[in-house]
Amino acid sequence: MSKTVLLAGGAGYIGSHTAIELIDKGYKAVIADCHYNSNPIVYERLKEITGTDIPHYNIDVCDENALNRVFEENNIDVVIDFAGYKAVGESVREPMKYYKNNLNSTFSLVNTMERHGVSNIIFSSSATVYGMNNPSPLTEDMNLGPCTNPYGWTKFMNEEILRDLSAANEELSVVLLRYFNPIGAHSSGLIGEDPKDIPNNLMPYIAQVASGKLEILSVFGNDYDTHDGTGVRDYIHVVDLAKAHVLAADYASEHKGVEAFNIGTGVGYSVLDIVKAFERVNNLTIPYKITERRPGDIATCYADSSKAEKILGWKAEKNLEDMCRDTWNWQSKNPEGYK
């Protein structure tokens, strides 16, 4: 009998791609999402790709009564916690909004899991938990923090909360997936990243400049200690990231305690590397300007993901060209996103 995975916040960018990969590997998927940062149209697109009508609930995951109904109506085996606000800049402007939502959504999930005897959770964490003081490549045994923004602190705090819960409950299985920089889209062009307002992240910003929706790309600083002076990051294709969740779901079912895994390629690309690759792959020109550094940005950040390969059997398969091609395929087919 196939296992059922609840994707909390599963209509979003990473969650929707994960739903496809779960179904492809024989899992049943259930989505709970209030569509604060997603669009219900995604369910039609997911059905077109998978041939499956995924059960979905338009609820706020922080609402335990509503969440309880999801667990009552579905035999949940594994929970993936994608729920949470994710814009770094907004978290600095509105910290209480982020602390309240991102912590309460996890509280609500683990309380409801306990009520229904569900003991497997995969938490959507981030490389931001490593703070600014660790050299790359980053490994899971490094000290965490201090984080540079409230968004990062909510990831850090939720990791600690889940560790404490695991220490108190030996039946609990917690997998912490620390994402690096997910980009790209499903090869169909039917689903992809659809940021609200002006994008916070590099690749959707480039794509919107390419489509003419935005005029010019701002590159924040060109005086870092890197090969071209612009910041270096570890960019990973969202489909590779989604596949990591499937393997984490397999692992969670046969494991107790807490394990953290970096999910990145292990290769650092600068901002200008990404711009040039996007131009080359898609035969486009991206106008850009150099502006001031952003507070809290570090020069270089990339992963050592060898632990994920050794224990989960996961390794990134797609390259930078795939990421650039699939991003433009999505953006050119959906210039206004899901609207």
Side-chain angles (χ1 to χ4, degrees):
M1 183 176 169
S2 65
K3 291 182 176 176
T4 301
V5 180
L6 172 62
L7 294 87
Y13 175 45
I14 300 169
S16 58
H17 286 83
T18 301
I20 293 168
E21 299 305 320
L22 285 165
I23 290 167
D24 184 60
K25 290 297 184 288
Y27 280 92
K28 292 179 180 176
V30 177
I31 293 174
D33 200 304
C34 68
H35 308 119
Y36 172 83
N37 204 25
S38 60
N39 192 307
I41 292 171
V42 78
Y43 302 123
E44 299 167 20
R45 306 286 183 93
L46 289 174
K47 185 176 182 180
E48 192 173 340
I49 294 167
T50 65
T52 302
D53 206 350
I54 299 172
H56 53 272
Y57 295 78
N58 182 5
I59 65 165
D60 185 339
V61 173
C62 294
D63 181 347
E64 281 191 44
N65 290 330
L67 194 58
N68 197 55
R69 184 166 65 89
V70 178
F71 278 75
E72 286 175 348
E73 295 179 3
N74 302 275
N75 186 22
I76 306 296
D77 298 290
V78 182
V79 170
I80 305 182
D81 183 3
F82 295 112
Y85 300 151
K86 63 176 188 175
V88 169
E90 184 182 53
S91 79
V92 174
R93 294 190 303 273
E94 301 182 66
M96 277 306 298
K97 174 179 175 179
Y98 272 67
Y99 286 118
K100 183 177 180 181
N101 181 80
N102 291 9
L103 297 181
N104 280 344
S105 57
T106 301
F107 293 155
S108 179
L109 280 167
V110 293
N111 284 340
T112 311
M113 286 172 60
E114 184 176 22
R115 198 175 300 122
H116 291 270
V118 179
S119 57
N120 304 316
I121 184 168
I122 298 160
F123 179 64
S124 170
S125 192
S126 164
T128 57
V129 299
Y130 290 110
M132 297 182 69
N133 299 324
N134 290 307
S136 290
L138 298 167
T139 56
E140 292 86 350
D141 57 359
M142 288 178 169
N143 291 330
L144 304 184
C147 300
T148 59
N149 53 72
Y151 163 78
W153 279 118
T154 66
K155 295 298 186 185
F156 178 99
M157 291 174 184
N158 271 326
E159 283 201 12
E160 291 303 310
I161 289 162
L162 290 168
R163 286 185 193 281
D164 290 344
L165 289 172
S166 174
N169 177 3
E170 62 184 18
E171 289 302 306
L172 199 59
S173 173
V174 178
V175 181
L176 309 171
L177 296 185
R178 294 174 181 160
Y179 310 163
F180 280 69
N181 295 67
I183 59 176
H186 192 265
S187 59
S188 65
L190 287 168
I191 65 169
E193 188 167 8
D194 183 21
K196 296 198 308 179
D197 305 319
I198 295 175
N200 294 291
N201 298 323
L202 175 63
M203 188 59 97
Y205 206 113
I206 290 173
Q208 290 192 15
V209 171
S211 70
K213 189 173 181 181
L214 295 173
E215 187 178 345
I216 193 167
L217 171 70
S218 294
V219 176
F220 299 108
N222 66 344
D223 56 352
Y224 288 105
D225 184 17
T226 62
H227 65 274
D228 62 15
T230 63
V232 168
R233 298 291 181 269
D234 189 332
Y235 295 91
I236 177 171
H237 198 295
V238 67
V239 172
D240 280 334
L241 178 56
K243 289 177 178 177
H245 291 79
V246 180
L247 293 168
D250 297 342
Y251 177 73
S253 301
E254 55 195 39
H255 153 269
K256 303 297 177 194
V258 182
E259 285 292 346
F261 298 97
N262 289 336
I263 307 297
T265 65
V267 179
Y269 291 105
S270 74
V271 174
L272 293 183
D273 288 337
I274 299 293
V275 171
K276 290 170 184 173
F278 192 93
E279 291 180 327
R280 182 179 69 254
V281 169
N282 299 308
N283 195 25
L284 294 163
T285 299
I286 306 298
Y288 67 87
K289 63 182 179 181
I290 305 297
T291 63
E292 294 294 312
R293 290 187 184 193
R294 287 184 301 194
D297 274 354
I298 58 177
T300 301
C301 176
Y302 61 93
D304 178 337
S305 296
S306 56
K307 182 180 176 183
E309 183 175 5
K310 181 180 178 182
I311 297 178
L312 299 180
W314 176 88
K315 189 175 183 180
E317 298 170 356
K318 295 182 179 290
N319 60 29
L320 183 56
E321 284 70 25
D322 298 323
M323 301 180 211
C324 293
R325 184 184 308 108
D326 291 342
T327 296
W328 181 237
N329 184 42
W330 153 256
Q331 183 70 43
S332 59
K333 289 178 178 176
N334 304 271
E336 297 299 324
Y338 289 114
K339 294 182 182 64

